[in-house]
Amino acid sequence: QQQVKQSPQSLIVQKGGIPIINCAYENTAFDYFPWYQQFPGKGPALLIAIRPDVSEKKEGRFTISFNKSAKQFSLHIMDSQPGDSATYFCAARDNYGQNFVFGPGTRLSVLP
Amino acid sequence: DSGVTQTPKHLITATGQRVTLRCSPRSGDLSVYWYQQSLDQGLQFLIQYYNGEERAKGNILERFSAQQFPDLHSELNLSSLELGDSALYFCASSDRGPGNTIYFGEGSWLTVV
């Protein structure tokens, strides 16, 4: 129940494409869902986050869609650029323990 | 810059040795988390501290231990090191507000030879 599933494991798109990364969870105690972007050799950096009372949140070219009934959420990257090539992690916060559970990550490559 | 400081950035040591990794959380953050990331792997949660007390434990080996001090900095101690312990170790911190999230340091690269 503490798992967050993430797919796909890797993704290759052309510049300008719209990669979509999907995550799913079971634990209804999760109350906050951030996404992190990690470049090789660097720490994960917070990208965008959403609460379950909101169905969509957009920040720049990044959009989170949230489906509370299905317990699924996804990240869309509009007009993707080679500089977006990184590993993306979805996460969920457990409201009881204030702990964060991470998905296994998606390695995105945006081709020029 | 996330505000989370980790030292050392790189460390090379021999099998069987012991090392200590240090983390200073963001100013005001009471929670500290430790994660291990092996090559091309995900983030494996090790342990969480809140205001000096252990809050949650993940897949942390018995050879590993951690603590959070009164000034809120934290140390992760790795002993009897094995080749498989070579990884990037991340510290993260958070406050406890309703909008809190965690912010990661740049990590400590540990290579065991």
Side-chain angles (χ1 to χ4, degrees):
Chain A
Q1 271 226 332
Q2 281 293 91
Q3 266 191 331
V4 174
K5 297 179 181 178
Q6 183 173 348
S7 63
Q9 187 175 8
S10 62
L11 188 54
I12 301 174
V13 300
Q14 293 287 338
K15 177 182 174 182
I18 306 176
I20 300 173
I21 304 171
N22 300 298
C23 287
Y25 64 98
E26 291 292 328
N27 189 348
T28 55
F30 289 154
D31 69 343
Y32 182 70
F33 302 87
W35 284 87
Y36 288 82
Q37 179 189 56
Q38 185 183 29
F39 294 105
K42 297 293 186 182
L46 179 66
L47 192 61
I48 186 173
I50 197 168
R51 295 188 161 283
D53 53 351
V54 175
S55 62
E56 184 175 283
K57 183 173 182 180
K58 179 183 285 190
E59 287 185 5
R61 296 184 293 107
F62 300 92
T63 299
I64 301 178
S65 298
F66 192 89
N67 186 329
K68 186 175 181 178
S69 60
K71 299 193 191 73
Q72 295 174 348
F73 57 110
S74 59
L75 176 70
H76 302 232
I77 305 176
M78 304 302 180
D79 187 27
S80 59
Q81 301 296 312
D84 297 329
S85 298
T87 299
Y88 292 81
F89 293 95
C90 62
R93 185 185 69 180
D94 177 347
N95 185 42
Y96 294 121
Q98 296 286 307
N99 193 9
F100 288 80
V101 179
F102 284 83
T106 296
R107 178 175 286 184
L108 172 66
S109 296
V110 181
L111 304 179
Chain B
D1 183 3
S2 67
V4 179
T5 304
Q6 289 188 247
T7 57
K9 290 191 181 341
H10 300 272
L11 191 56
I12 301 175
T13 190
T15 55
Q17 294 298 304
R18 171 190 169 96
V19 298
T20 297
L21 309 180
R22 182 188 169 101
C23 170
S24 294
R26 294 187 320 153
S27 177
D29 284 358
L30 301 180
S31 278
V32 169
Y33 307 75
W34 286 98
Y35 289 85
Q36 179 193 55
Q37 187 175 42
S38 301
L39 191 62
D40 291 334
Q41 297 296 309
L43 295 159
Q44 299 297 317
F45 170 66
L46 296 178
I47 198 163
Q48 177 200 358
Y49 281 83
Y50 177 77
N51 202 19
E53 295 189 1
E54 183 182 304
R55 174 61 60 91
K57 205 174 230 185
N59 299 320
I60 187 167
L61 300 173
E62 284 192 10
R63 300 183 286 108
F64 296 179
S65 64
Q67 55 184 329
Q68 186 180 26
F69 295 86
D71 67 353
L72 301 178
H73 91 271
S74 178
E75 292 181 357
L76 178 67
N77 300 296
L78 315 174
S79 61
S80 303
L81 285 167
E82 302 175 359
L83 296 178
D85 297 327
S86 296
L88 194 52
Y89 290 85
F90 287 109
C91 171
S93 75
S94 73
D95 62 27
R96 198 176 163 76
N100 75 326
T101 191
I102 61 173
Y103 296 88
F104 285 83
E106 289 295 290
S108 291
W109 277 100
L110 172 65
T111 301
V112 182
V113 296

